[in-house]
Amino acid sequence: MVHEVTFIPGDGTGPEIAEATRRVLEATGVPFQWDVQHAGVDIMEKEGTPLPNRVLESLRRTKLGIKGPITTPIGTGFRSVNVALRKTLDLYACLRPCKSYPGVRSRYQGIDIVLVRENTEDLYAGIEFEKGSPYIRQISDLCVASGQQALREDTGLSLKPISEFGARRIVKFAFEYARAHGRKKVTAVTKANIMKYTDGLFLAVARQVAADYRDIQFEEMLVDNMCMQLVQKPELYDVLVLPNLYGDILSDLSAGLVGGLGVAPGANIGDQAALFEPVHGSAPKYTGQNKVNPMAMMFSGMLLLQHIGETAAAGLMERAMAEVIREGKSVTYDMKPDRNDPTAVGTSQVADAIIAKMEELRVRA
Ligand code: NAD
């Protein structure tokens, strides 16, 4: 079956890593039909918007996309294309696998954690009141009327909405993911002892959902303790499910545990579409230099293969990438012990090495 995929090269170094990724995905033998859709700063100049409707229409049609990073210029008023895509398509689950690969420089070994972050609610919902706004007084009056403390007049306020609906769908997503990928344990991470009506609700829903998945162990953890546990014994954790803010912070912490941005893949998944992209940004200072590491986007492509059920191809691609990383020869500057190592290869040569390694593995099998 040919898989139609919306292919968004992005801007900055995005098109270079996207092209390297496309070549590796094609070399797995899985047939793809790419609907190439440009978005980002260059498109803003040509089409007046960095995210033309055609990109969203394509994603709604194919339900599947892979994307290079897109720059969010500071101070121009153009909002993040990445946030707009997640909001418009209700991509409520942010998936961030963090796995150790021998050869990636890191303080830890043997980590294989998947973070499932709720992407639409919590303090990131964008419901805010500026200091001095007349609403602050009204909300303060409401607090007093409900027997709670008044707000200081010079308060700024960000609301933290967490709904039963939002909590249920993300926790279900985490358990379904765990079941589909042979995972053993889901840990719900909250601060439910302090924020009883938001994190407490999230946890109560998590307990209910867990009861429907008796084959998977369920564990609860307070977020402060989780931070310490991840630093001390990360190898004990499997799938974590978290509200938006904790998910954002702990996914970067976990990426750091396994070697950082160069190898950190991600996906934003909803009922309408699934969009796979590296965690890192567009690294604009290296644009056009065939220099940056394409592996985070390639690992995102591997997640796409898993998502569409092409497990054998995903496995082949992962083994080839793991070997190239372990050998440490055909890797970019950021993966060398010395960043100025003259033997570092460029973006497209990493793709060549992985494609050759997949061929070698096929012959060996
Ligand atoms: P960045 O991730 O682009 O860069 C951070 C550092 O990591 C830089 O030193 C960069 O050179 C390095 N780096 C990043 N990717 C690399 C790679 N593949 N190989 C080697 N080194 C790499 O973050 P930033 O500088 O904060 O952001 C640049 C732009 O990217 C901003 O406009 C930001 O808004 C955007 N951004 C986009 C996304 C996305 O599209 N999802 C995510 C994050 C940031």
Side-chain angles (χ1 to χ4, degrees), residues 67-72 82 86 261 277-286 292-293 333-334:
K67 166 183 165 300
I70 290 180
T71 307
T72 308
N82 308 303
R86 285 168 216 162
L261 285 180
E277 60 177 330
V279 170
H280 63 71
S282 54
K285 67 180 174 209
Y286 295 127
V292 297
N293 191 351
Y333 72 99
D334 55 307

